[in-house]
């Protein structure tokens, strides 16, 4: 992953509403949720949610699909895991005790 991609994705998550949306969708899994349900669950106004979903989508962290009148949003688990891998790729490289290092758990949905 290029550093610019990592910065874009981290910037998208560096806002409490967007982080809450992303965490909710990660919890929901690969099927995702319709935008209206996300707004209800988080108590966010639909127009505000639309802005946050756009930011997360533009950063490559969300996928969307249309089903009838509804747009479903789901996390892009490959993108999420790539960001985690980028952040931890040199973990403990200078440590004398590599057993203190942890690697992120990989998502079963990837």
């Amino acid at each position: 992953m290029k550093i610019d991609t990592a910065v874009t994705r981290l910037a998208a998550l560096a806002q409490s509403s967007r982080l809450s949306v992303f965490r909710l969708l990660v919890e929901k899994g690969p099927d995702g949720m319709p935008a209206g349900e996300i707004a209800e669950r988080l108590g966010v106004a639909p127009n505000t949610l639309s802005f946050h979903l756009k930011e997360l989508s533009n950063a490559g962290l969300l996928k969307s699909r249309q089903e009838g009148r509804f747009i479903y949003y789901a996390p892009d688990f490959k993108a999420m895991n790539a960001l985690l891998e980028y952040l931890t790729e040199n973990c403990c490289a200078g440590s004398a005790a590599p057993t203190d290092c942890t690697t992120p758990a990989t998502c079963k949905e990837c």
Side-chain angles (χ1 to χ4, degrees):
M1 173 179 295
K2 294 182 179 180
I3 192 167
D4 292 341
T5 302
V7 168
T8 298
R9 290 180 179 168
L10 290 169
L13 293 169
Q15 198 279 340
S16 61
S17 294
R18 287 194 291 272
L19 184 56
S20 294
V21 168
F22 190 74
R23 289 184 54 144
L24 174 65
L25 291 172
V26 167
E27 182 181 319
K28 185 68 175 172
D31 291 336
M33 299 174 83
E37 188 177 337
I38 297 168
E40 263 183 49
R41 294 269 305 266
L42 296 177
V44 177
N47 60 338
T48 302
L49 178 65
S50 178
F51 170 77
H52 293 312
L53 291 170
K54 180 186 70 125
E55 290 295 310
L56 290 166
S57 295
N58 287 343
L61 292 167
L62 294 185
K63 296 178 180 181
S64 63
R65 72 181 188 286
Q66 183 136 12
E67 287 188 17
R69 308 179 325 140
F70 302 103
I71 299 176
Y72 282 72
Y73 291 89
D76 184 329
F77 286 105
K78 280 185 161 181
M80 178 187 78
N81 285 331
L83 180 59
L84 291 172
E85 183 179 313
Y86 176 80
L87 293 172
T88 59
E89 71 184 340
N90 295 318
C91 179
C92 304
S95 175
T99 57
D100 293 339
C101 296
T102 59
T103 56
T106 52
C107 177
K108 295 176 185 166
E109 303 300 334
C110 302

